[in-house]
Amino acid sequence: MSYNEKNIDLIIQYALLTAGQGDDYLSRRLGPIHLIKYVYLADLYYAQKHNGTSFTGINWQFFHFGPWSFQVNNRIDAATSAILANRHSFDSHFKDEDVVRWEISDDDLLKRMSREVPSEITIKLKNNIRKYSSDTEGLLGFVYQTEPMLNTAPNDYIDFSIYTDQDKVPIEKVMLRFEQISNKKKKAFSQKIKALKLARTFGKKKLIPVTIPRHDEIYNDGINWLDTLAGEEFPTGRLKAQFSTDVWGSDTRKGKQ
């Protein structure tokens, strides 16, 4: 699968410039892990509007804690240098911790660059960047919960084809089917809708009397009896759980149950 270096660089630069508008100067500094995740989100938002086709053409992989791409990682230096972003290096006591950050603040350049990024990307991505910026934990948590990630197992490639329109029924066809229904059925349908709305309205106004319970001996005995129905008390301490690898493909993880 071919990828577009120009589009990769564009998103990296857009993300860095958007972060540069933050009030906290430390939050403006983005590392490789942040830039890579923002490029992934750009591809996701673009795929949602373009039948599963990504903006960069990257073949994303579920690696360690989220989507990863060596191609994006390898473009960071060139993309940041092209807009003269400041590069900061520092020592780290953690093996996998990023030791490099980039930052730049240039409103005029951001305005020009925003015109090059598709609106279906900027409308959502700019809010993500303003919310998470360099918050690694928050950003990773958000990205991990995206639909393509929940449909992918570790080390597998991420598939944006879940956003294809082949299984969606066009609204025109839905309206055509409705027009083909007899007037009698349409009337009955409308009456049911009105009844549902009326029931919902009355339901909101319904008052439920509340009785304050008496916390006496009988009450306490009842609570203790209910506790015995739960079985033996769950042991405390450090426990180890094992899960089948099938959990990655389960409907529960995908949010279908």
Side-chain angles (χ1 to χ4, degrees), residues 1 8 16 73 76 81 100 115 145 176 189 192 218:
M1 183 179 183
I8 295 173
L16 201 55
N73 187 59
I76 293 177
S81 296
V100 180
R115 300 189 192 103
Q145 292 297 321
L176 179 60
F189 177 77
K192 289 181 179 180
I218 297 177

Side-chain angles (χ1 to χ4, degrees), residues 211-230:
T211 302
I212 301 176
R214 293 185 303 169
H215 295 276
D216 53 15
E217 184 177 351
I218 297 177
Y219 173 85
N220 292 329
D221 289 342
I223 293 296
N224 293 332
W225 176 74
L226 289 173
D227 287 339
T228 63
L229 298 180

